[in-house]
Amino acid sequence: MTKKLNILLLGSGGRECALAWKLAQSPALNHLYIAPGNAGTAQYGTNVALKPLDFDQVADFCLNNGIDMLIVGSEDPLVAGIADYMAQRLPELQVIGPSKAGAQLEGSKDFAKQFMMKHDIPTAAHLSVTAQNLDEGLRFLEQQQAPYVLKADGLAAGKGVLIINDLDEAKAELRAMLEGKFGNASATVVIEQFLKGIECSVFVVTDGKNYQLLPVAKDYKRIGENDCGLNTGGMGAVSPVSFADEAFMDKVRTRIIERTLAGLQQDGIPYCGFIFFGLMNVDGDPYVIEYNCRMGDPETEVVMPRLKTDLVMLLCAAASGSFQGAQVEIDPRYAVTVMLVSGGYPQSYEKNKVITGLDAATGSILFHAGTKRDDQGQVLTSGGRVLAVTSMGTTKDEALAHSFESISHIAFDKMYYRRDIGFDLK
Ligand code: AMP
Ligand code: GLY
């Protein structure tokens, strides 16, 4: 590498903190900026108060600060077309994140379903419904067996999927969604066959043709132990995933990843960045539950610590067309992350609680999610998900034990976490 890179990373969650931690280790990095970032990302670079959806402002910052690479952490700017905007205005800037067309894999469930049907990628049977074919939708529901899966077509901040046991309730929810329960995002609803199995998250870095597999992870979305209670943004994650063995991953590569990349090329959709395949393992066969055009959160908090390869070099290779032959080296140890959340989350909760004990938690990596620093330098809570406590170990239980030891030093008012992350894996 001749020139060290200036990088701007967009986002402010635990995912971005883990990406910043990893990027900061690279000898190929000159300076890292995170926008807007949090109290944790400030350890690895400079936080800047930019709005990721204000493309003009982001582009001006890139120009004025000699930014070579823009990494887009979350889906919103990608679905809104930030990569296309930058390609027009700053053609030299390397953007990690797909074109608006590629981001439709996440931005429209209907688009993703049509793409999968067209390219023979295994997924649940479905029907897309609008106000125009409501009757067909109601009949389709009658033909399915409970539980019924209803998905808002567009982005709905992770809340657009309903899984309902009762047929009449499912019909009522279908109507409510079409009438605007999730605003415009549910003007189209995808009804899906329910797939029974166990989920995992598979990530690749790709230049649109070639790809490298990152460590497979599993996240735990429910607030309560044993996967009970309300859905959250994610209460913890584990990597590796015991059932994602060689035989399963061979199927994932040939039936899902390779067909997806071939489909993108065939459809003329440029894609440079991460693809996150949310998969269901149904009796040993993988099915796509969802695509995301970014890394997962909290999965990134276990994926990055297991990635030995230099992330800056890897992303640079993907963005500069020299990705073929890139290699990824992975730490064989387990990584586990336990999310510390504000009491009451995912419903209403209080913010601005002082967090103590961070310096004493030396056996883990602390990835900040919802934190900020006040004028006196104290770290305060500023969100529902506050801190991801990641540890490594030769077994999952050993890694978990390190996280619990670290957590024993950390405190804030009404802190809550799950003690059973990874409970369903060997
Ligand atoms: P999503 O927002 O697409 O990640 O969906 C939320 C959750 O709903 C997923 O993580 C799955 O647990 C569940 N889910 C979505 N689609 C299906 C399906 N077809 N069958 C079973 N579970 C599903
Ligand atoms: N952990 C799931 C997601 O990031 O969407």
Side-chain angles (χ1 to χ4, degrees):
M1 162 140 329
T2 45
K3 179 176 176 278
K4 292 190 177 199
L5 300 189
N6 290 323
I7 298 182
L8 172 62
L9 168 64
L10 295 183
S12 63
R15 166 182 51 213
E16 286 74 25
C17 194
L19 289 169
W21 170 85
K22 181 68 184 165
L23 293 165
Q25 294 169 27
S26 172
L29 179 74
N30 183 50
H31 197 83
L32 176 64
Y33 298 89
I34 310 97
N38 61 36
T41 61
Q43 298 167 270
Y44 312 118
T46 308
N47 286 347
V48 279
L50 302 175
K51 295 194 186 76
L53 284 168
D54 186 341
F55 299 166
D56 240 356
Q57 189 193 38
V58 173
D60 286 345
F61 181 87
C62 290
L63 261 179
N64 296 335
N65 294 275
I67 300 296
D68 303 291
M69 179 185 282
L70 175 69
I71 304 175
V72 186
S74 71
E75 63 277 13
D76 297 19
L78 293 167
V79 172
I82 194 169
D84 311 69
Y85 179 94
M86 295 299 163
Q88 281 287 319
R89 192 162 154 208
L90 302 173
E92 300 294 307
L93 181 70
Q94 297 186 330
V95 179
I96 302 300
S99 60
K100 187 171 183 170
Q104 286 299 296
L105 284 180
E106 174 165 4
S108 166
K109 305 237 185 229
D110 178 44
F111 174 90
K113 281 298 203 184
Q114 288 184 32
F115 179 88
M116 287 186 272
M117 301 299 285
K118 177 172 175 194
H119 299 292
D120 197 23
I121 296 161
T123 187
H126 85 289
L127 180 76
S128 292
V129 183
T130 64
Q132 273 69 52
N133 66 337
L134 171 62
D135 289 342
E136 193 189 353
L138 296 171
R139 282 199 301 279
F140 185 78
L141 277 175
E142 285 165 5
Q143 290 155 12
Q144 302 297 309
Q145 289 179 356
Y148 306 93
V149 182
L150 302 178
K151 299 186 173 184
D153 172 55
L155 294 182
K159 296 188 170 66
V161 176
L162 302 181
I163 298 186
I164 300 167
N165 283 313
D166 180 74
L167 178 60
D168 288 333
E169 196 188 325
K171 288 179 171 175
E173 285 292 355
L174 173 61
R175 285 198 170 88
M177 287 173 83
L178 294 174
E179 282 161 14
K181 178 171 178 142
F182 299 105
N184 207 28
S186 61
T188 299
V189 174
V190 174
I191 307 178
E192 265 187 26
Q193 166 204 12
F194 182 82
L195 295 177
K196 200 165 163 30
I198 184 163
E199 283 176 76
C200 64
S201 304
V202 169
F203 303 95
V204 300
V205 179
T206 181
D207 62 359
K209 291 195 193 85
N210 310 290
Y211 71 95
Q212 285 294 327
L213 207 48
L214 298 177
V216 180
K218 184 169 195 302
D219 78 339
Y220 292 81
K221 291 201 177 89
R222 301 301 188 101
I223 187 71
E225 293 183 355
N226 270 313
D227 285 345
C228 292
L230 294 173
N231 249 322
T232 71
M235 296 296 294
V238 178
S239 178
V241 175
S242 47
F243 64 78
D245 55 15
E246 225 169 288
F248 181 77
M249 291 310 293
D250 275 347
K251 295 178 190 171
V252 172
R253 281 177 180 274
T254 54
R255 297 177 192 174
I256 292 173
I257 300 174
E258 285 158 23
R259 289 181 197 174
T260 298
L261 292 176
L264 287 170
Q265 287 171 73
Q266 200 183 318
D267 295 350
I269 298 175
Y271 200 113
C272 173
F274 299 101
I275 308 180
F276 166 173
F277 302 85
L279 303 182
M280 187 73 84
N281 175 349
V282 182
D283 299 326
D285 289 320
Y287 288 79
V288 177
I289 290 279
E290 61 166 351
Y291 284 111
N292 295 302
C293 58
R294 45 148 182 107
M295 287 296 293
D297 195 350
E299 289 97 325
T300 307
E301 291 94 305
V302 292
V303 169
M304 287 302 137
R306 292 193 62 220
L307 181 65
K308 287 189 170 171
T309 306
D310 185 318
L311 183 61
V312 175
M313 298 295 280
L314 186 69
L315 297 179
C316 211
S320 64
S322 57
F323 200 50
Q324 208 170 8
Q327 287 296 326
V328 159
E329 207 189 332
I330 292 174
D331 189 327
R333 288 178 299 166
Y334 275 84
V336 166
T337 197
V338 177
M339 192 65 77
L340 306 182
V341 306
S342 300
Y345 174 78
Q347 293 172 294
S348 64
Y349 56 85
E350 293 164 26
K351 296 186 197 176
N352 298 313
K353 307 288 186 189
V354 177
I355 308 172
T356 57
L358 296 175
D359 291 339
T362 50
S364 303
I365 320 169
L366 304 181
F367 293 126
H368 292 228
T371 69
K372 64 178 184 193
R373 212 172 266 280
D374 70 6
D375 297 342
Q376 289 104 54
Q378 301 185 104
V379 179
L380 306 181
T381 67
S382 67
R385 294 193 297 166
V386 174
L387 211 55
V389 180
T390 297
S391 310
M392 309 290 291
T394 51
T395 63
K396 174 169 60 73
D397 289 340
E398 186 190 313
L400 260 184
H402 289 312
S403 281
F404 293 144
E405 204 284 322
S406 297
I407 292 168
S408 72
H409 301 280
I410 302 173
F412 57 87
D413 185 33
K414 302 197 177 73
M415 177 175 105
Y416 169 79
Y417 61 97
R418 274 179 65 169
R419 299 191 55 90
D420 69 339
I421 299 305
F423 76 98
D424 54 350
L425 298 176
K426 276 208 265 324

